[in-house]
Amino acid sequence: MALTLEQVRHVATLARLSLTPQEEERYATQLSAVLDAVAELEALDVSQVEPTSHATLASSLLREDVLRPSLPPEAGLANAPAKVGTAFAVPKILE
C-alpha cells in the first residue's frame, strides 16, 4: 500500500511534526513498507490460534510479592530538601 505525500503530511500534522520534502519522501516509503507488512499479517488465518495475553506462554515473568519492611520515614526523607511531616514538600504548581 503506497501512501501519498498528502497522507504523510496529514499524519505529520496529527503528530505535530514539521517535515522537509526529503523527510516526507522517506517517510512515505517507510510507512508504506510498514503497512505492507501489516497487510501480510492480516492475511494469515488465525482462527485456530488460541488468544493469549503474552507472546510467550510463560506463566509469570514477575517475581512473587513478598512483604518486607521498608525504610523508616526519617531515613527516606534524610536528604529531602524540604519535608512536611513524613512526606516530601514540593512547590505548588496548580492553583
Side-chain angles (χ1 to χ4, degrees), residues 21-45:
Q22 294 81 12
E23 289 172 325
E24 289 174 353
E25 291 285 342
R26 185 174 69 224
Y27 289 137
T29 303
Q30 292 176 350
L31 291 172
S32 294
V34 169
L35 292 175
D36 289 340
V38 170
E40 285 183 42
L41 293 175
E42 287 177 341
L44 295 174
D45 177 20

Side-chain angles (χ1 to χ4, degrees), residues 7-90:
Q7 290 171 317
V8 172
R9 289 181 190 118
H10 178 69
V11 171
T13 301
L14 292 175
R16 297 176 191 250
L17 297 174
S18 176
L19 301 177
T20 65
Q22 294 81 12
E23 289 172 325
E24 289 174 353
E25 291 285 342
R26 185 174 69 224
Y27 289 137
T29 303
Q30 292 176 350
L31 291 172
S32 294
V34 169
L35 292 175
D36 289 340
V38 170
E40 285 183 42
L41 293 175
E42 287 177 341
L44 295 174
D45 177 20
V46 293
S47 61
Q48 301 300 316
V49 177
E50 184 178 333
T52 59
S53 60
H54 296 286
T56 64
L57 299 177
S59 60
S60 177
L61 301 177
L62 305 176
R63 65 173 170 77
E64 292 294 320
D65 286 334
V66 178
L67 185 61
R68 297 186 289 185
S70 63
L71 285 175
E74 301 80 28
L77 294 170
N79 293 323
K83 54 189 169 188
V84 175
T86 59
F88 291 96
V90 295

